[in-house]
Every structure is written in C-alpha cells, then in structure tokens.
Amino acid sequence: IAVDATCSGLQILAGLARDKSTAQLVNVCPSDKPQDAYAVVASTATPECPSSIRNYMDRKVVKRVVMTVPYNAKPYSNRGYIRDALKDKGIELEKEDLTATVKAVRDAMNVIVPGPMKVMKWIEKEVSAAIDRGEQELQWSTPSGFVVKQRLMKPDIETIELQLLGRCKVKVGNYDDTDKVDKSHHKNATAPNLIHSLDASLLHLSAIRFNAPIALIHDSVLCRATDMTILSALVRETYMHLFAEQDYLTSWANQIGAETEPPIIGTLEPESVIESTYFFC
C-alpha cells in the first residue's frame, strides 16, 4: 500500500521557513482531519476573480498551480492549468479574465503560504547575486550527504539560412562546452532542485532505517500494509530530524555564499510532526 505527502513542495518549504501557517495546511502539524491547502487557496482567491467564474472556483481549479508554484512554475504555465481545469467544467475564459484569475490565485498564495513564497523569492535573489559575482556553478550538500552540483551553461547557437525554412537557430555541441553561465536557468532551477534534494533526503534517510520491503516514488512511500505504521513513524521522525535539529536553510545559505539572511518566519516547531496522523496519507 502507499501513502503520499500532502503537497511535498510546500511541506519542505514550510520546514525551511519554519512557517506554521503553511505547515498546518499541508498536514505537517497534527489535526483531527486532513487539511486542504488547495481549497483554502481557492476560497481566498475567489473574491478577486472575475464574477463570471466565481461559482466555479474550487480546489480542482487551483490544485496544479498550488502544487507547481513551489517548483517555480510561472504565470504562463499557471494559465494553462487554470484554463484546462475550467474547460473541464465547460467554462471558456477570455484572455483578460484568465490573467486576472491567475493573479488572484498567486496573490492568494502570498497570503496563505507566506513562508514558501518568501523563501523562493529570496533564493532567486541570492542565486542571481552568486552568478553576478562570478560563480560558475552552485553546490550544496544535503542532510543525507549527497552533494548537489548545479552547472547550467548557455548553449552555443549558430544561425543558418535554409532554402525552405529560412533563417533558423540551431544549438551546437554540449552545454558544458561553453563558458557562459545561464543565469536565468539557475534562477528558475534552484528552488525546485533544492526541494527535490531535500525530499530525496527525507526518503533516503527513512528508507535506510526501514528493514522491510519498500518502494519509493518521489513523494510517496509504499510497503506492506502490516509495516505501514512503522514506515509512517519513520518518515515523520526523519522530517523532524531534518528541520528541528538543524537550521538547514541557513546552512544552505552559507554553502552558496548568500549575501543576506534567509527569510525564516520561526513560528513552526517541526517536532510537532511526530503527532501528525496525516503528514503522509
């Protein structure tokens, strides 16, 4: 059987920022029933959406946006997710109404999950500063000991004239053949790669303590039904160790040479996850 994280990107960012308001919405904190961050974002965004679609705004409309924003999804992809979700309900949006809806959802996330949104903005700023001062790559060590080396270079591009297609730009050779750092790519990739490196650590450190058959799929753990109580407890304990026993965001800031302090809210006590029934569910 399997249990899944509740929006793992937000769970990781809530731990990094020690943001209790976000942690509560993604079941890091104990509660009597599963919490639903998607529904809360939808209800917060609805009053700011065009009146023609307010009756159709629900968790399904915003779910893919809320899931992917922690991985640096931008408004362009948000538009597609919201448009497709409303299309499934038989609603076709005008361009201006779609733009307003995307803005309403992203603004709602700034209110509902402030810690993660601040951390992602800070990461982009610090990554930009690192590249500006001459860094060729970013490197950090995860809590499980894995060393991440993020090297993102611009490709060489040749412009050629074709008889049928006209002028075309063609990428030539290996990206690593150039000495031009791709700053934009670094800014977009770092938050997702940091999150993935930490949820990998969470599962890695949980798995090596689990002495029974196990399977892992990104933010999901699978085992025999008779072993799930043990595995669920190990996952919660590991999250606590990752975020209660160390300030990993400050450690990461030091590893990349950040010039400013990370935006840690400090309202969350990560050890509370031990009592959370629905952390992975």
Side-chain angles (χ1 to χ4, degrees), residues 60-77:
K60 290 182 179 179
V61 174
V62 307
K63 182 176 181 179
R64 290 186 72 187
V65 175
V66 176
M67 286 178 64
T68 57
V69 163
Y71 300 99
N72 236 346
K74 300 301 183 185
Y76 178 80
S77 61

Side-chain angles (χ1 to χ4, degrees), residues 260-279:
T260 60
E261 295 293 319
I264 297 172
I265 293 178
T267 53
L268 172 67
E269 295 180 356
E271 53 266 37
S272 65
V273 73
I274 292 295
E275 305 299 328
S276 177
T277 304
Y278 303 108
F279 178 56

Side-chain angles (χ1 to χ4, degrees), residues 12-13 16 70-72 120 123 127 138 140-143 146-152 185-201 218 248 252:
I12 295 294
L13 289 168
L16 288 173
Y71 300 99
N72 236 346
M120 288 186 294
I123 288 173
V127 167
L138 297 179
W140 64 89
S141 179
T142 70
F146 181 77
V147 177
V148 179
K149 293 183 179 181
Q150 182 174 283
R151 179 178 172 83
L152 299 168
H185 197 174
H186 270 289
K187 289 172 64 177
N188 290 332
T190 304
N193 286 342
L194 175 60
I195 292 170
H196 285 312
S197 72
L198 289 173
D199 64 33
S201 287
H218 178 45
Y248 185 77
W252 186 83

Side-chain angles (χ1 to χ4, degrees), residues 10 28-29 57 81 95 143 182 192 200 203 252:
L10 288 179
V28 173
C29 300
M57 285 292 291
Y81 297 150
K95 182 178 178 181
D182 194 334
L203 297 188
W252 186 83

Side-chain angles (χ1 to χ4, degrees), residues 4-15 19-31 33-38 40-41 66-67 70 109 112-113 116 239 268 273 276-281:
D4 300 339
T6 307
C7 199
S8 64
L10 288 179
Q11 286 184 334
I12 295 294
L13 289 168
D19 175 9
K20 185 176 181 179
S21 63
T22 297
Q24 288 173 325
L25 289 175
V26 291
N27 297 309
V28 173
C29 300
S31 60
K33 59 183 181 180
Q35 300 301 299
D36 190 345
Y38 309 125
V40 175
V41 170
V66 176
M67 286 178 64
M109 290 190 69
I112 300 302
V113 290
Y239 183 94
L268 172 67
V273 73
S276 177
T277 304
Y278 303 108
F279 178 56
F280 271 53
C281 63

Side-chain angles (χ1 to χ4, degrees), residues 115-256:
M117 300 300 279
K118 289 177 181 177
V119 167
M120 288 186 294
K121 185 176 181 180
W122 171 81
I123 288 173
E124 281 202 15
K125 183 185 73 171
E126 288 299 337
V127 167
S128 180
I131 302 305
D132 286 345
R133 64 175 177 263
E135 297 292 342
Q136 291 287 305
E137 64 182 31
L138 297 179
Q139 180 173 309
W140 64 89
S141 179
T142 70
S144 66
F146 181 77
V147 177
V148 179
K149 293 183 179 181
Q150 182 174 283
R151 179 178 172 83
L152 299 168
M153 313 303 284
K154 292 181 179 179
D156 277 333
I157 296 177
E158 293 287 344
T159 302
I160 58 177
E161 293 282 352
L162 301 178
Q163 224 172 1
L164 294 178
L165 298 178
R167 181 175 295 179
C168 297
K169 292 184 178 180
V170 179
K171 295 176 182 177
V172 180
N174 193 308
Y175 281 66
D176 285 339
D177 290 341
T178 76
D179 59 358
K180 297 174 288 187
V181 179
D182 194 334
K183 178 178 172 180
S184 178
H185 197 174
H186 270 289
K187 289 172 64 177
N188 290 332
T190 304
N193 286 342
L194 175 60
I195 292 170
H196 285 312
S197 72
L198 289 173
D199 64 33
S201 287
L202 174 64
L203 297 188
H204 175 194
L205 294 172
S206 299
I208 60 177
R209 296 176 59 201
F210 184 65
N211 189 27
I214 187 173
L216 307 171
I217 306 171
H218 178 45
D219 60 352
S220 176
V221 293
L222 304 88
C223 70
R224 298 176 301 200
T226 49
D227 298 325
M228 184 53 79
T229 299
I230 296 170
L231 182 55
S232 292
L234 286 174
V235 171
R236 294 195 300 271
E237 288 174 10
T238 303
Y239 183 94
M240 180 192 72
H241 294 321
L242 290 183
F243 298 110
E245 296 181 357
Q246 59 179 312
D247 176 2
Y248 185 77
L249 189 57
T250 296
S251 170
W252 186 83
N254 292 333
Q255 291 183 69
I256 68 159

